[in-house]
Amino acid sequence: MERVLHRRRPHETLTDFLLALDARTDPAFCFDSPEAVLAAVCAQGWARDIDRPRTAAIAPGLTAGISLEGVPSLVRDADPRPGRLGWQVWAEPRVGDAYLWCAAFSGSTPHDLVAIFASSLASPHPVQRSSLPAGVEGQLTVIHPGTQRQRKARGPE
């Protein structure tokens, strides 16, 4: 269902996806419309892509996005019909930089499961990290555990 194309994807997004998948009695049931995915990220503050409002959304700061489109050839699907659309998700430290990570969902992945992944990804709530990825200087705010001190990220510590 999901193919991670780079290993630096936020682990909490995959955890939420796998927990939702495990809770299902039928993994291929409940194919909500693609709108469920876009509604999930827009509820977390993302905006619909102005050029593709029914199939794509962009994170505040333009550093992440999600879109419904043809999936890369490396993504395999149980449905062999050509031209199936799937979700692609990516993050880049700065507009135009190489992707920090990306993931793709085949056309057979139920939209409600992709919506759970996307909602977790788009969540504005802070998450703990033991180290910061390269290239995020000035993009993240670091909050030290047990304190109220904050500072802008300056790279790996």
Side-chain angles (χ1 to χ4, degrees), residues 75 91 96 108 126:
V75 177
S108 294

Side-chain angles (χ1 to χ4, degrees), residues 56-133:
I58 303 293
L62 309 175
T63 57
I66 187 166
S67 61
L68 182 63
E69 54 192 271
V71 294
S73 61
L74 295 175
V75 177
R76 302 289 184 231
D77 194 348
D79 186 340
R81 292 179 291 172
R84 301 260 319 196
L85 301 178
W87 290 98
Q88 295 187 52
V89 190
W90 66 93
E92 54 190 339
R94 289 182 182 81
V95 176
D97 283 357
Y99 288 157
L100 184 60
W101 62 267
C102 55
F105 294 88
S106 71
S108 294
T109 307
H111 296 297
D112 66 310
L113 287 177
V114 178
I116 289 168
F117 175 94
S119 180
S120 180
L121 172 68
S123 173
H125 300 294
V127 293
Q128 287 187 320
R129 295 285 184 261
S130 58
S131 63
L132 296 173

